[in-house]
Amino acid sequence: MTRNRLYVLILIACFFGALYLLYQIYYSTNADTFSVCLIKNVTGYPCPSCGTTRSVVLLSRGEIISSVLQNPFGIIVSLCMVVLPFWIALDILKKKSTFYQFYLKTETIIRKPKVALVLILLVILNWIWNLYKHL
């Protein structure tokens, strides 16, 4: 993936993520049963990332423990939504590729079998926890 394509994809994802988050914060009610999760809509069972939006909303309200208990992926998504647009903007303004280089190094590390196995195990454990919580 090229630098510019990566930056555009991340900025678009952050933009639509922020819009969805604002919708959830200001217009959604607890009575809403709408789910964007394809797995949950088809099978009735939550996926590993189910509850991430609720986790981000809880974190935006300062409820850190509740956010982590809802879904730890929410902390990662929140951090990405805050940091990445600024990092990419700085790269564009300074005509550098620091985030792209970080992305390439991270991808190299994640492709190592031992690292990938640990990450896959963490996702499976989170999925089991989501099933246990009946999200």
Side-chain angles (χ1 to χ4, degrees):
M1 179 175 297
T2 66
R3 172 190 177 266
N4 289 342
R5 177 175 276 189
L6 177 69
Y7 285 9
V8 168
L9 285 175
I10 289 175
L11 290 176
I12 289 172
C14 286
F15 175 75
F16 284 108
L19 285 179
Y20 186 66
L21 182 62
L22 289 174
Y23 168 77
Q24 289 294 320
I25 290 172
Y26 293 110
Y27 298 109
S28 182
T29 64
N30 288 337
D32 283 353
T33 57
F34 171 72
S35 173
V36 294
C37 180
L38 183 62
I39 292 174
K40 187 168 186 174
N41 286 333
V42 172
T43 67
Y45 295 105
C47 76
S49 65
C50 277
T52 301
T53 302
R54 285 172 273 173
S55 175
V56 173
V57 170
L58 288 168
L59 189 63
S60 72
R61 293 178 183 156
E63 300 177 37
I64 298 169
I65 301 297
S66 297
S67 172
V68 172
L69 292 175
Q70 182 68 43
N71 193 327
F73 291 163
I75 302 293
I76 297 168
V77 169
S78 297
L79 187 64
C80 289
M81 288 180 67
V82 170
V83 171
L84 295 185
F86 291 107
W87 192 349
I88 290 171
L90 279 175
D91 266 3
I92 292 170
L93 290 173
K94 292 184 173 185
K95 297 181 180 177
K96 292 186 175 183
S97 298
T98 60
F99 175 70
Y100 187 63
Q101 296 303 319
F102 172 79
Y103 167 80
L104 292 176
K105 286 180 184 175
T106 303
E107 187 179 38
T108 302
I109 292 169
I110 289 175
R111 286 181 181 238
K112 292 179 181 174
K114 289 180 182 176
V115 175
L117 185 64
V118 169
L119 294 174
I120 291 169
L121 182 62
L122 288 173
V123 171
I124 290 171
L125 287 173
N126 194 50
W127 196 355
I128 292 169
W129 191 28
N130 277 352
L131 291 168
Y132 175 76
K133 293 184 293 185
H134 303 286
L135 282 180

